[in-house]
Amino acid sequence: MTEPREWSLGAGALTHAPGGAGFRCQIAGEELFYRTDGPPSAPRHADALLAALLLPAMRLGALLRFEPTLAISPRLLDGMARLQEIFAAWYPDLHRTTIAASPAAAQASAPGAGSFFSAGVDSCDTLLRHQSEITHLILIRGVDLTLGNESGWQESLDAVQAVAAAYGKTLITVETNARFFARRLAGLSWLPYQGSGLVSVGLLTGLGRIFIPSSNHYSALHPLGTHPLTDPLWSTEYTSFVHDGAAVRRYQKLRGLAAHPLLLDHLRVCWQDAGYNCGRCDKCLHLRVALRLLGMNTPRMPPLSDLSELRTIAVHTVGEYAEWEDNLILAREVGDSKIERAVRRPLDRFLLRRAARDLDQALIGGRLRRFFRGRR
């Protein structure tokens, strides 16, 4: 039987950035780094490192051993068992592992409240509903935009700086390779990893409370890296995390932006690294449909004038289904039968494929699916 691998972590393995908030280290031959202009008020490097490494360790069966010089928040350690239970139940390739660490001395909650802010619909909604509480906006380089996209980063930074100034918030920028580190090290995509990746950033900001804008409505929750079940479990005595906005559908959030033209003018939803918004990908098309149904527009996105574009809608995952179902509900609400039919067709096809797969699994153990896979 193969012995489990062990990742032994001590303060000597971390190289700290000037000011103390950022760090870099080597894990199993892969470098992980964070650079931030956030306040250097007692950042929790050990807690951030645990958040970044938990899912890769679960994926690879690695024991995490933190030397006493890297003590972990007692509250975060308490959350580890439940987090591992949930992620192992959601993702069959993640398995519970052992975390050997000393509990850190108790710390009081830090001042200030932040929110991750990409200028998307969810983050704009969180800013509006909690603007009296939020003191900082957190913009990450290396998630929506790859680290090498200089022009895209500058355009995004300019937009978020304008929003932060208009709403009287302090902007914290963080540059990290955490998203692609998890992919290279453990083959983890951003979908299961995004909660832990965001939390690892948040723990370096020195803020006492951080909002994580929701991706899904409560009626459409499914396994995802950021989720109302898991996000609060990453909290420490110093920094607590709040999953925000799941009670509101995305088109309702978008409708609320009509009274806030600055946010609408800087709206960004695209992950394609092809301009501020590429206008063609699934996320962009989803927004363009919603804008048309609501009679709204933004200079950051071409209007949807030709419904033949809706023939390109492809629904392959539960997450994509939830997003397009949101537009289906809106189309019914405003009485647009053409868009309703165009959106319903790919949703129905997705449901039929799922039903066929479930029937195949229930009756013949998935043999039909494996047969067709073998013929590709």
Side-chain angles (χ1 to χ4, degrees):
M1 185 173 179
T2 304
E3 289 292 322
R5 70 184 74 190
E6 178 178 310
W7 295 340
S8 184
L9 306 155
L14 301 185
T15 303
H16 298 282
F23 70 86
R24 63 177 62 241
C25 63
Q26 292 281 334
I27 307 294
E30 294 288 346
E31 184 181 64
L32 170 68
F33 73 82
Y34 298 82
R35 289 190 288 268
T36 175
D37 58 4
S41 52
R44 293 293 308 161
H45 299 109
D47 297 339
L49 193 55
L50 175 55
L53 294 182
L54 177 64
L55 266 63
M58 293 179 68
R59 176 75 173 78
L60 297 176
L63 182 153
L64 289 173
R65 186 179 300 281
F66 288 81
E67 296 175 9
T69 51
L70 280 184
I72 302 294
S73 151
R75 184 178 177 187
L76 182 59
L77 284 174
D78 284 345
M80 284 295 106
R82 183 97 184 277
L83 281 166
Q84 292 198 66
E85 284 177 359
I86 294 170
F87 282 118
W90 284 349
Y91 300 103
D93 59 344
L94 297 182
H95 306 281
R96 294 187 63 173
T97 190
T98 300
I99 300 167
S102 302
Q107 286 186 305
S109 176
S115 182
F116 291 107
F117 191 83
S118 62
V121 176
D122 298 319
S123 59
C124 286
D125 174 73
T126 291
L127 170 61
L128 289 176
R129 286 187 297 104
H130 298 283
Q131 57 181 304
S132 63
E133 181 180 357
I134 290 171
T135 57
H136 294 71
L137 299 181
I138 305 165
L139 176 64
I140 305 175
R141 183 179 188 180
V143 175
D144 294 353
L145 296 167
T146 56
L147 293 169
N149 188 344
E150 294 292 340
S151 61
W153 166 249
Q154 190 58 54
E155 191 174 12
S156 179
L157 178 61
D158 290 345
V160 176
Q161 283 177 331
V163 171
Y167 285 85
K169 310 304 176 188
T170 300
L171 177 62
I172 296 175
T173 62
V174 182
E175 181 177 337
T176 180
N177 69 338
R179 175 183 176 185
F180 297 100
F181 163 83
R183 179 179 295 176
R184 290 194 305 271
L185 179 66
L188 284 166
S189 76
W190 183 242
L191 290 179
Y193 188 70
Q194 60 182 310
S196 51
L198 291 175
V199 164
S200 69
V201 168
L203 289 169
L204 294 176
T205 63
L207 298 172
R209 195 172 194 218
I210 296 179
F211 293 97
I212 302 178
S214 67
S215 298
N216 295 296
H217 186 257
Y218 280 128
S219 66
L221 291 177
H222 58 276
L224 194 65
T226 173
H227 190 283
L229 269 180
T230 54
D231 288 353
L233 296 174
W234 294 105
S235 298
T236 70
E237 295 80 7
Y238 193 75
T239 300
S240 62
F241 292 94
V242 181
H243 186 95
D244 181 72
V248 187
R249 290 192 175 276
R250 187 167 284 132
Y251 77 80
Q252 295 169 325
K253 297 177 182 180
L254 180 60
R255 181 183 278 148
L257 299 188
H260 302 273
L262 178 69
L263 295 178
L264 197 57
D265 286 352
H266 292 302
L267 204 58
R268 182 172 71 87
V269 301
C270 190
W271 284 28
Q272 296 302 307
D273 250 3
Y276 196 83
N277 289 303
C278 76
R280 301 178 302 277
C281 71
D282 185 76
K283 283 188 169 292
C284 286
L285 185 57
H286 179 270
L287 178 63
R288 292 170 65 204
V289 170
L291 287 168
R292 171 168 170 152
L293 290 170
L294 291 170
M296 297 168 61
N297 60 76
T298 169
R300 298 292 189 170
M301 193 73 75
L304 181 67
S305 56
D306 185 358
L307 294 188
S308 67
E309 288 191 61
L310 301 187
R311 295 172 188 161
T312 65
I313 296 174
V315 179
H316 301 294
T317 67
V318 175
E320 291 169 352
Y321 183 94
E323 287 202 340
W324 282 107
E325 184 186 39
D326 193 70
N327 274 353
L328 179 66
I329 293 169
L330 176 57
R332 287 172 177 165
E333 182 180 305
V334 303
D336 192 317
S337 59
K338 290 183 179 179
I339 290 183
E340 180 185 347
R341 286 195 298 272
V343 172
R344 189 178 63 243
R345 280 193 288 269
L347 293 178
D348 287 346
R349 288 195 293 269
F350 174 80
L351 292 178
L352 283 172
R353 289 195 302 271
R354 295 264 298 193
R357 185 199 67 183
D358 292 345
L359 190 62
D360 172 39
Q361 184 65 39
L363 295 181
I364 54 176
R367 288 198 295 272
L368 192 61
R369 187 182 186 195
R370 291 194 295 272
F371 171 77
F372 282 110
R373 276 183 174 175
R375 293 174 62 89
R376 290 177 185 172

